[in-house]
Amino acid sequence: MSNSQRVFDYNDESQADKLARKSKDSPFMIIGILGLIGVCGYGVYQYKHKGKMSTSVFLMQLRVAAQGTVVAALTVGLAYNLAKEHIFKDKKE
């Protein structure tokens, strides 16, 4: 006696629907992606003014800055969720 009705099929989901679902599940991931885009945009702008620095070193530093931005946003999100669940939880038990 199995239930043949599907609850939710992720294959029927468009990219916009997936992004909307992910932003509801983890809003700090979206903030991290926006920070990544910001750092990459800043890097493209600063590429002209890199001076005598080689391109590979410039791109390596840009990669580290972009990854650091994303990791920082996800860490803040994790700390926020942990604080919300364990420190500031309601006393409605």
Side-chain angles (χ1 to χ4, degrees):
M1 291 189 197
S2 69
N3 189 359
S4 63
Q5 183 182 13
R6 293 188 302 189
V7 176
F8 188 75
D9 189 10
Y10 289 110
N11 294 331
D12 296 339
E13 190 175 41
S14 69
Q15 292 296 325
D17 293 337
K18 185 185 282 189
L19 183 63
R21 181 176 51 83
K22 288 286 189 180
S23 66
K24 289 177 186 172
D25 292 345
S26 178
F28 286 95
M29 181 189 72
I30 302 299
I31 293 170
I33 290 171
L34 291 175
L36 171 72
I37 292 170
V39 168
C40 289
Y42 178 74
V44 168
Y45 176 74
Q46 288 295 320
Y47 183 72
K48 289 183 186 181
H49 310 292
K50 64 181 172 72
K52 293 185 179 184
M53 184 185 310
S54 70
T55 301
S56 64
V57 171
F58 178 78
L59 291 176
M60 192 67 69
Q61 290 178 351
L62 181 65
R63 180 186 64 87
V64 169
Q67 284 179 335
T69 302
V70 172
V71 168
L74 292 177
T75 303
V76 168
L78 179 66
Y80 172 75
N81 284 330
L82 285 174
K84 184 174 73 172
E85 290 178 9
H86 297 289
I87 296 174
F88 303 116
K89 65 180 177 181
D90 293 335
K91 304 287 182 182
K92 297 179 183 178
E93 296 176 11

